[in-house]
Amino acid sequence: MLEPMSLAAITAVLGAVGAGMANEAGKRAWESAGGLVRRIAGREVAAPTGTGEREAVARIVFEGIQGDPQLARTWAEFTRGVPLARRTASARPQLPPSVRFFTDRREALKLLDREASRPADGRPRVALLHGPEGIGTSTLAVHWGSRAAQRFPDGQLYVDLRGGSAGSALDVSTALRRLLAQLGVPDEEMPPAREGRTEQFRRLVADRLLLVVLDHAHSAAQIRPLITSAPGVFTLAVSRHPLPGLDALRVPVGPLADRDARRLLAEIAGKPALAAARATLPPVLARCGGSPYALRAAALRLSPASAHADLAREADVPLPGNDPVHTAAEDTYVLLEPPAARLYRLMALRPWPAITPSVAALATRIEEGTAARLLAELADRQLLEDTGDGRYHYRPAVRRHAERAAVREDGITACAGAVSRTIEAHLRLALRAARGALPESWRVPPLPDGLIPIGDRGEALAVLAAESGNIVQAVYAAEEFGDHDTVTLLGRALWPLQLKAGHHDELLPALRLAVATAATHRPGTRVAGALRFQLAHSLIESQAYQEAEEHVRAAVADERTAGHARGHASSVELLGLLRLRQWRFDEAYGCFDEAGRIYDGIGSADEGAADLPRARALLDRHRGRALRGMGRHAEARERLEGALRFFRGSGEAYNTARVLTDLAELSLDGQERAAASALVDEAIAKLDSEGASYHLAHLRTLREWCVSPPTP
């Protein structure tokens, strides 16, 4: 246990508060920390953005409280509300299911056993399975993990790093978010920045016995930040290449020997089918090249009805090269009926993360029920992989085969039409979901005639989240087609997901592309300003403050040029919110004042006039927060009480509770504990039916401060 007033403890507090900004209560705690640091230092102190800066600010606090008991008591009170260990790992994650039939790999299994049981000596336990696509590296990793489950009583983590190409590979921050989610960390407690996620991941696994499987890795740089030296953790990476930059035990995985290949065919197809195909089996084995994927695909064609005709025909066809996956895909493809073959080809023209029957139907101009049946058939034939939720995706090598077949058999024009229809399908779904998730927002694009929003807010947001990968891919595709309007519409449709669910790391590439498109083709327009605003918002939440400021300022310029007063004021307000996050309270107040002057220029008949009272109330709340950070408490109270009157009158329970919380914290700053207690109780009553669990937890901490002030 750290001594609360020690330099190490102060540094830990600042780190915990900085990592906790994924929810409203965490953001308020960060602002409160900034105001308190300013009070202790007697001057403005910039918010720290990394380990070194955090340690420097901690030293300022440490030195400032040494000779001032009142400041020490205030810091102790603030510290008591900060959970240094934000969460223990509460979930016991499991690997995906292993295959029923598994053959050979004895040497590889022994090597993995040896590395996993190596005594802890400070070196991370890491192994890398590598081999060409379809050779069974992923299957081997999952099979070994399932077999060795007793070694890892605290669970087995699995992340598909999607490293088929540099463009599809997960970034480290997203991979960490997925690992933390499997450990039971909810979105509302997910550290916004990669550094915080790395620290939290290492802390959560430090004393656990865990297997971490990192499948389909693209590079050593993608893996290294995910490796921990925790003595109970074994990291098993899987890649097509040896990744020489990775410090790991390398376990090459090669083709199955003929004996093991025959055994796998017999286990899957059955011995009678194998006996019936005895005459044509040698060339089939040659075509499969010892690839478990190719062998499984061939086994599906080994039936009493098809063994002789299909395999004999395959034996007469020369090998197209030395790629068993391509060969297996071709051998299966030529047996498809035309509708299934056409769907197989046309859905492979982009690396869509997930294919749904509704989108496949629109892309290929067939009925949705037919599309669902054909997708299931393709999955049964090993040409698609079923994700288990009615969605499908290709193996990278199989998609390349299908894409080549589409260009060869359908032609460029038909292929372009299919991609355009797929983009359109994702655009229609994204717009319907965005409007359903946030119907009151002027930032959400209007729906074209004939489209109806998804009615339930929660359902609409869930659809946006589930389809976010496809929407991002649609942005890339539309940009390649030169469809600038669709690029910008798809980008704007992401706003409810940014605002309500986060996932900023996954959305940033698409937002950057949408901004670049708008800046080039729609400069100085409301569209450009709106997209700059969205990108800046996600960058702020990701703690990339310098880049965020560039885009906020560009949004201000675009909205001003477009003559869009509401967007202009909102962008200036966002710059003020960025300044609050940076603890630059004086500048924040100036931004809020400027935004207020812009709102004052909106006439009663102008666009956005109906929203002005609420916009001004929100600005008053922001002004109050800035004034509190500046230590101007009387003025802060005046602004906050004005905002409170509006929100009480409008019946907005959540915003009422937020302002009540601001006022309670302001009262505690002045040691007015009775007044703070009454405000906290009213805020709790307002939030009881809102489901704001993190805000309620923060309020309960404030209530404890009201009744039992700590001693330094």
Side-chain angles (χ1 to χ4, degrees), residues 170-335:
L170 287 189
D171 64 273
V172 173
S173 185
T174 301
L176 283 165
R177 180 166 63 78
R178 296 187 180 185
L179 288 168
L180 289 171
Q182 291 179 58
L183 288 168
V185 179
D187 284 346
E188 294 85 354
E189 291 185 21
M190 200 73 68
R194 170 177 157 177
E195 181 185 36
R197 292 180 184 181
T198 302
E199 290 177 1
Q200 189 176 40
F201 175 67
R202 290 175 178 171
R203 178 179 58 76
L204 288 179
V205 304
D207 57 356
R208 302 189 85 196
L209 299 175
L210 281 167
L211 171 66
V212 180
V213 176
L214 305 174
D215 203 359
H216 302 121
H218 178 71
S219 66
Q222 190 186 26
I223 297 175
R224 278 194 297 265
L226 310 177
I227 293 174
T228 171
S229 60
V233 175
F234 177 41
T235 302
L236 179 53
V238 179
S239 176
R240 285 185 287 172
H241 309 291
L243 305 183
L246 185 69
D247 187 6
L249 170 70
R250 287 176 180 78
V251 182
V253 181
L256 294 173
D258 271 5
R259 181 186 63 182
D260 294 308
R262 289 172 182 270
R263 182 181 298 123
L264 184 61
L265 282 175
E267 287 176 338
I268 298 173
K271 291 182 179 179
L274 201 66
R278 183 181 299 109
T280 54
L281 199 56
V284 169
L285 291 173
R287 295 174 72 81
C288 291
S291 162
Y293 168 79
L295 289 163
R296 289 176 181 277
L300 296 174
R301 301 190 296 277
L302 284 173
S303 69
S306 65
H308 295 290
D310 293 345
L311 295 179
R313 183 191 59 74
E314 291 175 14
D316 293 335
V317 179
L319 291 171
N322 59 355
D323 184 348
V325 176
H326 181 281
T327 302
E330 177 66 20
D331 289 344
T332 304
Y333 168 69
V334 297
L335 301 177

Side-chain angles (χ1 to χ4, degrees), residues 626-638:
L627 288 164
R628 180 190 173 215
M630 296 157 65
R632 293 160 58 179
H633 287 187
E635 296 168 81
R637 185 177 302 279
E638 182 180 355

Side-chain angles (χ1 to χ4, degrees), residues 432-438 453-465:
R432 292 181 59 233
R435 179 53 61 184
L438 209 60
I454 295 175
D456 181 83
R457 286 176 182 258
E459 178 190 354
L461 191 63
V463 167
L464 268 182

Side-chain angles (χ1 to χ4, degrees), residues 255 286 518 524 650 679:
S650 69
L679 292 163

Side-chain angles (χ1 to χ4, degrees), residues 228-591:
T228 171
S229 60
V233 175
F234 177 41
T235 302
L236 179 53
V238 179
S239 176
R240 285 185 287 172
H241 309 291
L243 305 183
L246 185 69
D247 187 6
L249 170 70
R250 287 176 180 78
V251 182
V253 181
L256 294 173
D258 271 5
R259 181 186 63 182
D260 294 308
R262 289 172 182 270
R263 182 181 298 123
L264 184 61
L265 282 175
E267 287 176 338
I268 298 173
K271 291 182 179 179
L274 201 66
R278 183 181 299 109
T280 54
L281 199 56
V284 169
L285 291 173
R287 295 174 72 81
C288 291
S291 162
Y293 168 79
L295 289 163
R296 289 176 181 277
L300 296 174
R301 301 190 296 277
L302 284 173
S303 69
S306 65
H308 295 290
D310 293 345
L311 295 179
R313 183 191 59 74
E314 291 175 14
D316 293 335
V317 179
L319 291 171
N322 59 355
D323 184 348
V325 176
H326 181 281
T327 302
E330 177 66 20
D331 289 344
T332 304
Y333 168 69
V334 297
L335 301 177
L336 296 175
E337 294 296 326
R342 181 171 177 271
L343 187 148
Y344 167 72
R345 296 191 306 268
L346 295 182
M347 292 312 300
L349 295 166
R350 299 289 307 186
W352 305 109
I355 301 167
T356 61
S358 60
V359 170
L362 289 170
T364 58
R365 292 174 169 165
I366 59 178
E367 294 293 325
E368 185 172 338
T370 302
R373 178 178 59 78
L374 294 178
L375 289 170
E377 177 186 341
L378 293 172
D380 288 343
R381 290 176 175 265
Q382 305 285 297
L383 291 175
L384 288 176
E385 295 188 323
D386 189 343
T387 61
D389 58 355
R391 298 148 68 87
Y392 302 84
H393 64 84
Y394 291 89
R395 286 174 171 265
V398 174
R399 190 187 75 79
R400 290 193 294 272
H401 170 268
E403 185 177 26
R404 294 187 192 112
V407 173
R408 181 179 69 244
E409 299 181 32
D410 298 288
I412 298 299
T413 301
C415 288
V419 174
S420 293
R421 291 191 296 274
T422 309
I423 295 170
E424 177 67 18
H426 289 305
L427 175 62
R428 290 162 64 92
L429 183 60
L431 291 175
R432 292 181 59 233
R435 179 53 61 184
L438 209 60
E440 70 279 3
S441 174
W442 57 271
R443 293 193 173 278
V444 175
L447 286 178
D449 292 342
L451 282 189
I452 301 172
I454 295 175
D456 181 83
R457 286 176 182 258
E459 178 190 354
L461 191 63
V463 167
L464 268 182
E467 295 299 322
S468 60
N470 283 329
I471 296 170
V472 169
Q473 185 57 225
V475 170
Y476 297 151
E479 193 274 337
E480 288 183 17
F481 275 42
D483 187 353
H484 310 309
D485 288 340
T486 295
V487 170
T488 56
L489 279 172
L490 285 166
R492 293 173 62 198
L494 292 172
W495 173 239
L497 192 59
Q498 294 175 254
L499 187 65
K500 297 289 187 180
H503 297 228
H504 303 288
D505 35 22
E506 295 186 34
L507 304 182
L508 277 170
L511 290 171
R512 286 194 173 100
L513 184 54
V515 163
T517 297
T520 301
H521 300 283
R522 306 283 189 272
T525 64
R526 293 170 57 161
V527 169
L531 285 167
R532 292 274 197 189
F533 180 101
Q534 287 180 233
L535 176 55
H537 171 85
S538 280
L539 289 167
I540 291 171
E541 294 305 317
S542 302
Q543 299 181 349
Y545 297 143
Q546 183 174 348
E547 187 183 356
E549 180 167 347
E550 295 172 8
H551 289 289
V552 176
R553 290 191 179 279
V556 170
D558 283 331
E559 297 282 18
R560 183 172 55 233
T561 300
H564 183 213
R566 185 185 347 187
H568 183 194
S570 183
S571 298
V572 172
E573 185 177 350
L574 183 62
L575 181 58
L577 294 173
L578 170 59
R579 293 292 182 251
L580 284 182
R581 196 72 64 87
Q582 295 172 306
W583 299 354
R584 292 160 65 175
F585 299 107
D586 303 70
E587 293 178 52
Y589 187 81
C591 290

